[in-house]
Amino acid sequence: MRRTFPLKAFPAIAAATAALALSVPAQAQVTRVQKNPDSLILDGADVKAGTDLFYLSGQLASPIDPTKTFADVKSIEDLGDTKTQTISTLNRIKEILAGRGYAMSDIIKLTLFVAADPKLGHMDFAGANAGFKEFFKTAENPNTVARSTFQVAALAGPYFLIEIEAIAAKKK
């Protein structure tokens, strides 16, 4: 049996539907997809509606000497090798996330842009992974992330070897 409603009933029906939708809390959910649990990275992450997302712009390493500014950086030694720069960059990301109420365990996706280390003549993928392992699949953070890594010709400055951007997700 088909029901019909007078046109003037639609605002009341719409209001009732909206009130019902507002009274049911959104069930945020992040499902990490990983076929091989020993893998360093995820196959992907499924983020359902109702989840807070934070998109973090690409971050670079800080000078090893905390008294130096970026203007003082005159060599790779001022920033360190790829592993050192990865750790520095992930610490910057950790600090920014914490300021927004997120943790490293909330990261679901990282994009790594890696320049060639002049001492090696190519990107140091092993160094990037070594730095990455200090933040993911650890006792403090058993999670890992979906990740892409790209070798790039250069970054913002001649001595930067890695730039990392992140996406974090958490329940509202």
Side-chain angles (χ1 to χ4, degrees):
M1 171 182 215
R2 187 170 155 204
R3 297 181 113 176
T4 59
F5 296 95
L7 196 53
K8 64 182 180 182
F10 282 112
I13 293 170
T17 303
L20 180 61
L22 291 175
S23 67
V24 177
Q27 295 299 313
Q29 184 179 353
V30 176
T31 302
R32 295 169 189 272
V33 180
Q34 187 171 28
K35 290 179 186 174
N36 178 356
D38 295 327
S39 177
L40 187 58
I41 61 174
L42 296 176
D43 294 316
D46 186 12
V47 180
K48 300 293 184 196
T51 302
D52 284 335
L53 292 172
F54 182 60
Y55 296 84
L56 185 63
S57 296
Q59 300 296 311
L60 297 164
S62 297
I64 293 172
D65 180 348
T67 64
K68 288 188 175 185
T69 68
F70 286 119
D72 299 322
V73 173
K74 304 295 182 210
S75 70
I76 287 181
E77 286 71 28
D78 289 329
L79 297 170
D81 61 11
T82 301
K83 177 182 177 183
T84 303
Q85 288 193 34
T86 301
I87 292 167
S88 174
T89 303
L90 289 171
N91 275 322
R92 286 179 67 123
I93 289 170
K94 184 177 183 177
E95 182 180 317
I96 292 168
L97 290 174
R100 303 286 305 167
Y102 289 81
M104 293 297 280
S105 59
D106 294 321
I107 295 176
I108 57 167
K109 174 75 167 95
L110 289 177
T111 305
L112 283 60
F113 303 95
V114 186
D117 182 331
K119 293 177 183 176
L120 301 175
H122 56 81
M123 79 169 175
D124 183 6
F125 187 71
N129 276 343
F132 178 87
K133 288 178 185 178
E134 293 197 18
F135 293 84
F136 300 96
K137 287 207 157 193
T138 65
E140 181 182 337
N141 177 16
N143 291 333
T144 191
V145 300
R147 192 181 89 182
S148 300
T149 304
F150 299 92
Q151 181 171 347
V152 296
L155 292 168
Y159 309 116
F160 291 107
L161 299 176
I162 190 162
E163 181 173 338
I164 303 173
E165 56 184 39
I167 301 171
K170 68 177 183 171
K171 293 182 179 186
K172 286 186 175 189

